[in-house]
Amino acid sequence: MTLLEHAIDLEGDSALQSGTPIDSRLTVILLAYGANPRPQPPGDMSAMDLADYYGHDIAYRLIPLRCRPRQGGTLSDTTDTAASARGAG
């Protein structure tokens, strides 16, 4: 299980057990710093599967943005996107 998968599982399970809304800060931070949302190892529940299972809407909306291919066929990098949005790169 990757750190991102663990974060989504922790946030979702905590909300489920406590009856409170999902606190998605850890997931957002990990994705902002480039966490890979692809499942590791293949065959396990992916971060997207866990987000769907727990109804983790923030993760469910952010993961596809992180996986979107950019020119050259590589995964998009949120730091590059943020830099170009600021005009820095």
Side-chain angles (χ1 to χ4, degrees), residues 10 13-14 17-18 34 37-38 40 51 64 67 71 82 88:
L10 173 72
D13 191 50
S14 295
Q17 290 186 38
S18 67
R38 307 255 186 238
Q40 304 292 326
C67 291
Q71 291 180 345

Side-chain angles (χ1 to χ4, degrees), residues 29-74:
I29 289 168
L30 290 171
L31 286 168
Y33 278 91
N36 183 356
R38 307 255 186 238
Q40 304 292 326
D44 287 350
M45 284 186 79
S46 68
M48 192 67 143
D49 293 335
L50 289 165
D52 184 44
Y53 176 78
Y54 286 114
H56 196 310
D57 294 333
I58 298 293
Y60 200 79
R61 289 189 306 228
L62 290 177
I63 289 170
L65 297 175
R66 179 72 177 101
C67 291
R68 143 182 93 200
R70 63 178 180 185
Q71 291 180 345
T74 60

Side-chain angles (χ1 to χ4, degrees), residues 1-22:
M1 179 177 271
T2 66
L3 186 56
L4 178 61
E5 292 163 356
H6 182 67
I8 293 170
D9 186 48
L10 173 72
E11 291 169 348
D13 191 50
S14 295
L16 188 66
Q17 290 186 38
S18 67
T20 59
I22 291 176

